[in-house]
Amino acid sequence: VQLQASGGGLVQPGDSLRLSCAASGRTFGLYALGWFRQVPGKEREFVASINWSAGSTYYADSVKGRFTISRESTKKTYLQMTSLKPEDTAVYYCVASGRRYNSGNSIWYSDKAYDYWGQGTLVTVSS
């Protein structure tokens, strides 16, 4: 499975931005798509994911109410980001999972749940 993320850029605080991720290859075995982000020198951080086998979405507390994850199919997902803050500045990575954990499993917030990682797209929030 290959993941191609796009949509990053430079925006001002309070602006909105939408990231896209397209999956290709053997996508029939995927059950979830999501996003992580990383600032250089810091640990990778879970952002959001959508699990269609369990019918659930998951968000980090830091983005809840501002970011919305959605999917067009098993091959494409979007991350709509609103009210962006400077602390949202990071490289955003698209991820995919072929695992079928139940919806209440906290592993969905961990990188351990995701088998495939795409290249990152840089989001910079600055005035």
Side-chain angles (χ1 to χ4, degrees):
V1 174
Q2 294 78 47
L3 301 170
Q4 181 71 42
S6 60
L10 171 63
V11 296
Q12 295 188 337
D15 283 355
S16 299
L17 198 63
R18 189 176 82 157
L19 303 184
S20 300
C21 175
S24 60
R26 296 173 66 89
T27 60
F28 59 84
L30 295 180
Y31 297 105
L33 291 169
W35 298 88
F36 279 71
R37 66 186 182 187
Q38 189 169 25
V39 176
K42 293 190 176 181
E43 288 190 4
R44 192 162 52 192
E45 176 188 26
F46 171 80
V47 177
S49 69
I50 184 164
N51 175 342
W52 50 88
S53 70
S56 299
T57 55
Y58 308 89
Y59 295 96
D61 287 342
S62 57
V63 308
K64 204 171 291 184
R66 300 188 299 121
F67 291 12
T68 302
I69 190 168
S70 62
R71 70 178 182 102
E72 183 177 292
S73 66
T74 57
K75 298 183 179 183
K76 197 151 192 180
T77 187
Y78 303 99
L79 185 68
Q80 180 67 49
M81 305 185 292
T82 64
S83 302
L84 282 162
K85 305 175 181 180
E87 50 264 42
D88 294 318
T89 295
V91 176
Y92 284 71
Y93 295 92
C94 179
V95 297
S97 175
R99 300 165 192 260
R100 301 188 73 174
Y101 301 114
N102 64 48
S103 62
N105 196 327
S106 62
I107 198 170
W108 287 115
Y109 298 89
S110 165
D111 56 8
K112 295 179 175 59
Y114 304 94
D115 305 293
Y116 307 100
W117 294 72
Q119 97 294 351
T121 185
L122 176 63
V123 173
T124 304
V125 185
S126 175
S127 55

